[in-house]
């Protein structure tokens, strides 16, 4: 079973920041938080991951709370092409490589 | 870099036939994963390999499914005999040593009639 809880769906206006929340209250100290997205009929796409510190790359920012029980993925300027299902996953990142995908959040970016 | 390459993109077969799905991971990646996606069950991990060795096959639904990785640049997922309930999109993914992100292929859409 997925160890995360995400809203089923969210809307965002084009050009605005999209903030996608994720709860992972049972996360253990050596588990990472990963974010992937899946645009319709394509394979999932890796976005970002983090352990304790906030992370930023060319696609997004990941904000992890100090107690690590929740996180937020931020798309700073959402475009129509960001419409997708976004998955938040926790995993050891070590030899146990099996990412377990939940149902994710369907983000709809609207003009 | 061509990414993870899967073939065929689409496969339609009759119940009882053998189906072989193929995957070429990104060169240099140590890990290879096979996932299956359906509307009802979402994305499910079937099996994954590390350095060509199967590590966890607990997600393989039954003995009709088998996966091999004869070398670092090729893997197959075989279903024999196929059944209509095997209809799904099958994704292959590869990764460098964890905790890196995975790169997924475009998938094979399998329809068993």
């Amino acid at each position: 079973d997925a160890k995360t809880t995400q809203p089923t769906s969210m809307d965002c206006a084009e050009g605005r920041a999209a903030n996608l929340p994720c709860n992972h209250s049972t996360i253990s100290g050596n588990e990472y938080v990963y974010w992937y997205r899946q645009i319709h009929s394509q394979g999932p796409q890796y976005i970002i991951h983090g352990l304790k510190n906030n992370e930023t790359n060319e696609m997004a920012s990941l904000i992890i709370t100090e107690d690590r029980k929740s996180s937020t993925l931020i798309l700073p300027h959402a475009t129509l092409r960001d419409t997708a299902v976004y998955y938040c996953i926790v995993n050891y990142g070590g030899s146990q490589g099996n990412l377990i995908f939940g149902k994710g959040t369907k983000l709809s970016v609207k003009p | 870099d061509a990414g993870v390459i899967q073939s065929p993109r689409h496969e339609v077969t009759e119940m009882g036939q053998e189906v072989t799905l193929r995957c070429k991971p990104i060169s240099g990646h140590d890990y290879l994963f096979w996932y299956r996606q359906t509307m009802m069950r979402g994305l499910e991990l079937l099996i994954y390999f590390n350095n060509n060795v199967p590590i966890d096959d607990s997600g393989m639904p039954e003995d009709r499914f088998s996966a091999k990785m004869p070398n670092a640049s090729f893997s197959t997922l075989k279903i024999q005999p196929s059944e209509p309930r095997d209809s799904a999109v099958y994704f292959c993914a590869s990764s460098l040593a964890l905790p890196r992100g995975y790169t997924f292929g475009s998938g094979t859409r399998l329809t068993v009639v």
Side-chain angles (χ1 to χ4, degrees):
Chain A
D1 292 334
K3 298 188 245 184
T4 62
T5 303
Q6 300 178 252
T8 302
S9 63
M10 294 182 62
D11 290 341
C12 178
E14 186 178 20
R16 304 297 294 271
N19 297 281
L20 292 92
C22 179
N23 288 320
H24 31 79
S25 59
T26 60
I27 192 169
S28 63
N30 54 355
E31 284 187 308
Y32 289 78
V33 179
Y34 290 84
W35 283 85
Y36 284 75
R37 73 180 182 183
Q38 188 172 24
I39 297 170
H40 179 63
S41 78
Q42 298 181 20
Q45 178 188 23
Y46 165 78
I47 301 173
I48 198 167
H49 74 280
L51 184 61
K52 297 180 181 178
N53 300 321
N54 299 337
E55 302 287 345
T56 296
N57 62 22
E58 65 279 4
M59 291 183 67
S61 295
L62 173 60
I63 308 298
I64 302 174
T65 58
E66 192 169 343
D67 64 7
R68 302 186 69 239
K69 293 184 177 182
S70 66
S71 61
T72 301
L73 179 74
I74 301 173
L75 307 179
H77 306 286
T79 70
L80 299 179
R81 289 177 296 179
D82 292 322
T83 293
V85 177
Y86 286 77
Y87 298 97
C88 170
I89 305 163
V90 296
N91 182 266
Y92 289 106
S95 60
Q96 295 170 302
N98 45 335
L99 294 182
I100 298 174
F101 287 77
K103 297 187 182 301
T105 296
K106 169 64 175 176
L107 176 68
S108 298
V109 181
K110 303 189 175 182
Chain B
D1 186 353
V4 176
I5 300 173
Q6 292 187 245
S7 63
R9 287 298 308 275
H10 302 274
E11 176 80 35
V12 180
T13 190
E14 292 186 346
M15 183 174 61
Q17 296 297 307
E18 177 180 295
V19 176
T20 299
L21 311 181
R22 297 173 175 79
C23 175
K24 176 179 171 56
I26 292 174
S27 176
H29 279 193
D30 302 295
Y31 288 82
L32 184 138
F33 307 85
W34 282 101
Y35 282 83
R36 176 174 69 175
Q37 186 171 35
T38 62
M39 288 292 292
M40 290 294 293
R41 301 176 66 90
L43 270 162
E44 303 173 279
L45 177 69
L46 300 178
I47 185 171
Y48 78 95
F49 297 82
N50 178 214
N51 292 324
N52 313 338
V53 176
I55 302 300
D56 184 354
D57 65 354
S58 60
M60 297 285 264
E62 48 198 274
D63 292 344
R64 297 184 298 105
F65 286 69
S66 63
K68 294 182 179 179
M69 192 165 186
N71 57 62
S73 59
F74 184 66
S75 176
T76 59
L77 178 68
K78 185 176 294 186
I79 308 172
Q80 166 63 20
S82 58
E83 297 182 2
R85 59 190 168 129
D86 302 330
S87 297
V89 181
Y90 291 80
F91 289 105
C92 175
S94 70
S95 173
L96 288 166
L98 304 176
R100 310 290 181 89
Y102 300 177
T103 301
F104 281 79
S106 299
T108 294
R109 181 174 296 277
L110 174 65
T111 303
V112 183
V113 299

